Amino acid sequence: MSDPVLDRLEATIRTRRDAPADTSYTASLFAKGRAKIAQKLGEEAVETVIAACSGDDASIVPEAADLMFHLAVLLADAGLSLDDVRAELARREGVSGHDEKASRTA
C-alpha cells in the first residue's frame, strides 16, 4: 500500500537530484555525496531518539518527518525506492522478528 504524501515526496526528491546544489537543499545533499546523506540520516535518527526521550511526544513528529525525508534521499541516492522498502516489509509480514533476524547472513 503506497502513501500519496510519501510518493509525492519521493518524486520531488528524484526531480531535484540533478538540480543545481544552490537551488535546493535536496540537490545540495546529492552534491555532497552518500556519506553526507548518511551522516544527515544519522543526525536525524539521533534527534528523533532525543525527542522520544524528552517527554514531549509531539516533538517526535517533526523529527520523524526529517528522518523519513533523509531516508528517502538516501534511498534515491542508492537507486532504491520506497517501493523496495515496502516489498521488504511485505516479505517480512507474518514472520517473527527473531526468526527474520536469525535468517540474515552475517
Side-chain angles (χ1 to χ4, degrees), residues 11-64:
T12 298
I13 288 168
R14 291 189 185 285
T15 63
R16 294 195 179 149
R17 183 179 185 129
D18 297 319
D22 62 344
T23 64
S24 161
Y25 173 71
T26 304
S28 73
L29 286 172
F30 284 123
K32 291 174 185 173
R34 183 163 310 164
K36 183 63 174 179
I37 295 167
Q39 177 187 351
K40 286 300 297 177
L41 178 64
E43 289 171 10
E44 298 304 340
V46 169
E47 290 173 9
T48 303
V49 170
I50 291 168
C53 295
S54 74
D56 176 13
D57 290 349
S59 69
I60 299 170
V61 173
E63 297 302 341

Side-chain angles (χ1 to χ4, degrees), residues 1-9 82 86:
M1 171 192 319
S2 66
D3 179 292
V5 171
L6 291 177
D7 291 341
R8 287 192 305 272
L9 174 63
L82 293 171
R86 289 179 183 111

